[in-house]
Amino acid sequence: MAAQTPNSAHKALRARGDAVWARMPKCNAEFFRLTYGALVVQLVEDCDDTCEVNEKFSAMGVSIGTRLIDEFLAKSNQREACKDFGETCEVIGRVAFKMFLGVEADVCDWNEDRSRCSLVFPENPLNEHVELPLNENFLYSNLICGAIRGALEQILYKVDVYCIKDTLRGDDTNEIGVQLVARLQAEMDDQYKD
């Protein structure tokens, strides 16, 4: 079997993402956005400051991500484990984003040891018809950051996930940073050796 070039691997992941998206049951986008917007309004009313709201978004996202990984593995045709963190991020950006959000994210800005990257997606379905109050530091997409973190923790990657850019805050695109902190399997193996 011939080795895939990065470009052909991207095309294969893109095709898989499109195929999975076509098979996924769809909910009404307007209903989803209205429900999410109502949740945001309730959080803003219940919390003391925007930092607390952002933390709650992240915590809810982690809960969602720990459940979404099972659906992803069952429906995405991901038959074998990714070889490394880089391949895992490519699958998240090109297959998982398409599967659950209907958009594809480019994976870019890798650091030298490939432990940090950015997921860049020009359109965020959560942002449609939303305006944030001026001078507020809401991280409206922190739910997505939490979901990525929760899903990766289920497959034994400890990561920091954070918003870098958000079109709601005037940026030209949406960008989420993903930083590998540790591969949890290695930590577990070390515990059982003792």
Side-chain angles (χ1 to χ4, degrees):
M1 185 172 169
Q4 288 187 326
T5 65
N7 201 20
S8 66
H10 291 173
K11 286 180 183 176
L13 288 174
R14 178 174 289 129
R16 186 160 29 122
D18 289 341
V20 174
W21 170 248
R23 289 193 315 265
M24 289 294 291
K26 312 290 187 288
C27 76
N28 182 297
E30 286 300 314
F31 175 73
F32 176 73
R33 283 189 286 271
L34 277 170
T35 304
Y36 187 63
L39 171 70
V40 171
V41 169
Q42 189 63 51
L43 278 175
V44 169
E45 289 175 2
D46 291 348
C47 296
D48 295 329
D49 61 17
T50 55
C51 289
E52 187 179 356
V53 173
N54 292 338
E55 288 173 14
K56 295 222 185 243
F57 282 152
S58 181
M60 287 188 304
V62 169
S63 293
I64 291 168
T66 59
R67 289 166 181 78
L68 284 181
I69 190 69
D70 290 332
E71 185 171 359
F72 174 79
L73 292 173
K75 295 181 179 178
S76 69
N77 295 328
Q78 185 70 30
R79 290 186 168 74
E80 55 189 57
C82 294
K83 295 179 194 97
D84 57 21
F85 184 65
E87 186 177 333
T88 301
C89 289
E90 289 290 342
V91 169
I92 289 168
R94 301 195 187 283
V95 182
F97 262 66
K98 184 69 173 192
M99 183 174 173
F100 294 115
L101 293 173
V103 298
E104 185 179 317
D106 287 323
V107 183
C108 56
D109 296 335
W110 284 99
N111 64 349
E112 286 183 26
D113 64 356
R114 293 186 59 84
S115 64
R116 186 184 69 241
C117 67
S118 290
L119 300 170
V120 178
F121 48 110
E123 297 174 30
N124 183 346
L126 296 179
N127 290 359
E128 288 187 34
H129 311 297
V130 174
E131 290 182 29
L132 293 180
L134 292 175
N135 303 321
E136 290 292 345
N137 195 24
F138 288 117
L139 298 175
Y140 201 74
S141 298
N142 228 21
L143 185 85
I144 297 171
C145 294
I148 293 168
R149 192 176 98 219
L152 286 174
E153 285 176 358
Q154 293 301 301
I155 58 171
L156 303 176
Y157 282 109
K158 182 173 176 59
V159 293
D160 285 330
V161 186
Y162 45 92
C163 288
I164 297 172
K165 292 182 179 180
D166 191 335
T167 53
L168 288 179
R169 296 190 301 175
D171 296 316
D172 59 339
T173 192
N174 300 286
E175 183 175 349
I176 293 175
V178 182
Q179 169 74 50
L180 176 64
V181 175
R183 182 73 170 122
L184 299 176
Q185 185 64 43
E187 291 176 8
M188 290 175 61
D189 289 345
D190 289 344
Q191 288 177 356
Y192 290 113
K193 287 179 186 174
D194 295 333

